[in-house]
Amino acid sequence: MRGLTKAYRARTRRATPTLANDRLTLTVGRGELVALLGPNGAGKTTLLRQIAGQLLPDAGSIAVAGVDMVEDPLAAKARLSVIPQECSTIESITVRETVLCFGRIKGMERSTSAARTDEILAEVGLTSEANKLVRELSGGYKRRVLIAIAMAAPSAQLLLLDEPTTGLDPEARRAVWKVILGLKRRGLSILLTTHYIEEAEYLADRVVVIHQGVFVVHGRVEEIRAGLPYQGRLEVRDLDRLSPEARRRVDALGGRWKEALRSEGYVRFEIPDPFSRETVSELAELTALGVRASLSPVSLEDAYLAVVGALGE
């Protein structure tokens, strides 16, 4: 996408139109997964709907595998698959029939459709469920069915995933992650939106943060984490159970490191280097005094919250 802009008209003539997407530029490479993060109303779904050809942009351009979405929408749509945030399947047919049906609709050759359907089911871990009715599946398996449908498009090179694991339990979410990584290894380009920061951290090659329709952060996960002024956290719990000596030692840490959060029985410090000899030694001495403390590096969630917090969300 280049300079992509979408504005929603105001309800009254005097009001200013709302910019849902404001001059967005992004390329997703072959075999690359880019995660799009942002608070509700930031413009994520609007962006995906334009890429999918469901909304026309007011300015800018979109190309899927070199085909312009506005000038030749049918050819561009043939090169992508979409799993929207709200999506249902035909509950009264089997898993195999579902994938086969959608594959034929999307242009799968009749002579190879049965074999290709079985290949797809194996790739997403649905072989054992192939003859079950879709309504008999758990939420995690239904999500796999949606991914299988997306894979059934024979010429798709781009996969759009709008919050693909929302509502799934941790085990089912991890299973879907494994399938998505397999698609990436096959060379599919993937653009994913999610509210699960750990999902983006686990899956993405690059992360983009969108805020009020504008890309405010763009880079690899490690680059975004490195942008924080601190690189680790030291957390101390059960402050009210510490000996006087241990309590004085913990309170003295505030003179060296920034105290980021304190509540009843808990304090957290932001530290420059969680793996330095000085930091590890400090943790060992606190532990020897009976302090319940833990040391951890920063996460993508820390960086995301810092960015969004600075922007007033």
Side-chain angles (χ1 to χ4, degrees):
M1 67 189 80
R2 293 285 182 271
L4 197 65
T5 300
K6 182 64 182 178
Y8 290 116
R9 293 179 181 177
R11 294 183 178 179
T12 63
R13 291 184 179 180
R14 294 183 178 181
T16 304
T18 301
L19 276 176
N21 296 148
D22 186 5
R23 293 167 291 178
L24 303 181
T25 295
L26 178 68
T27 298
V28 182
R30 184 179 297 276
E32 182 181 35
L33 192 151
V34 175
L36 188 63
L37 303 177
N40 289 330
K44 301 186 296 297
T45 298
T46 296
L47 175 57
L48 259 61
R49 290 186 67 194
Q50 289 178 90
I51 299 171
Q54 295 175 321
L55 285 177
L56 284 174
D58 294 318
S61 62
I62 307 162
V64 182
V67 179
D68 190 279
M69 177 59 75
V70 175
E71 293 180 0
D72 195 350
L74 290 180
K77 289 178 182 179
R79 287 161 171 77
L80 63 82
S81 281
V82 185
I83 300 179
Q85 188 174 338
E86 298 293 336
C87 186
S88 59
T89 54
I90 304 171
E91 300 277 292
S92 58
I93 62 177
T94 68
V95 172
R96 177 180 281 110
E97 289 167 340
T98 299
V99 178
L100 183 60
C101 173
F102 280 95
R104 293 286 293 125
I105 290 171
K106 291 171 182 247
M108 191 185 291
E109 294 292 336
R110 183 186 295 274
S111 59
T112 60
S113 58
R116 178 59 187 142
T117 295
D118 288 337
E119 289 176 4
I120 292 171
L121 293 176
E123 286 186 59
V124 300
L126 284 174
T127 299
S128 61
E129 315 296 318
N131 295 317
K132 289 184 179 180
L133 297 180
V134 173
R135 65 167 172 259
E136 297 173 349
L137 302 180
S138 66
Y141 277 116
K142 285 183 179 179
R143 276 290 167 179
R144 294 197 207 186
V145 171
L146 295 177
I147 294 174
I149 290 172
M151 292 172 63
S155 56
Q157 299 179 49
L158 171 67
L159 179 60
L160 304 179
L161 300 175
D162 194 2
E163 301 187 26
T165 62
T166 296
L168 300 185
D169 62 65
E171 184 178 359
R173 186 177 300 134
R174 290 274 175 173
V176 172
W177 289 358
K178 184 177 179 180
V179 173
I180 293 172
L181 287 176
L183 297 178
K184 189 177 78 161
R185 284 192 292 270
R186 285 182 51 218
L188 232 62
S189 304
I190 302 173
L191 182 60
L192 171 148
T193 75
T194 181
H195 282 297
Y196 298 118
I197 309 298
E198 74 276 13
E199 183 164 274
E201 192 161 22
Y202 185 81
L203 294 174
D205 298 294
R206 286 184 290 137
V207 171
V208 179
V209 178
I210 185 171
H211 180 269
Q212 295 183 357
V214 177
F215 290 159
V216 293
V217 172
H218 180 190
R220 302 183 70 84
V221 171
E222 58 270 23
E223 294 170 345
I224 295 173
R225 287 193 302 239
L228 286 173
Y230 63 98
Q231 291 301 301
R233 297 173 298 184
L234 179 68
E235 298 176 311
V236 179
R237 294 175 173 80
D238 299 333
L239 287 174
D240 51 338
R241 300 181 184 179
L242 297 181
S243 66
E245 180 185 359
R247 184 60 183 260
R248 286 193 296 271
R249 184 65 177 263
V250 170
D251 290 342
L253 295 176
R256 296 164 52 196
W257 298 324
K258 179 183 177 182
E259 184 178 304
L261 179 65
R262 182 182 287 265
S263 60
E264 185 176 353
Y266 172 86
V267 64
R268 185 174 73 204
F269 299 96
E270 296 174 351
I271 55 181
D273 185 357
F275 303 114
S276 69
R277 180 176 298 180
E278 175 192 13
T279 304
V280 174
S281 176
E282 184 66 55
L283 178 63
E285 292 178 18
L286 289 171
T287 302
L289 290 171
V291 178
R292 187 183 169 201
S294 61
L295 188 64
S296 62
V298 296
S299 65
L300 179 62
E301 182 174 7
D302 295 316
Y304 172 79
L305 292 175
V307 168
V308 174
L311 294 168
E313 287 289 334

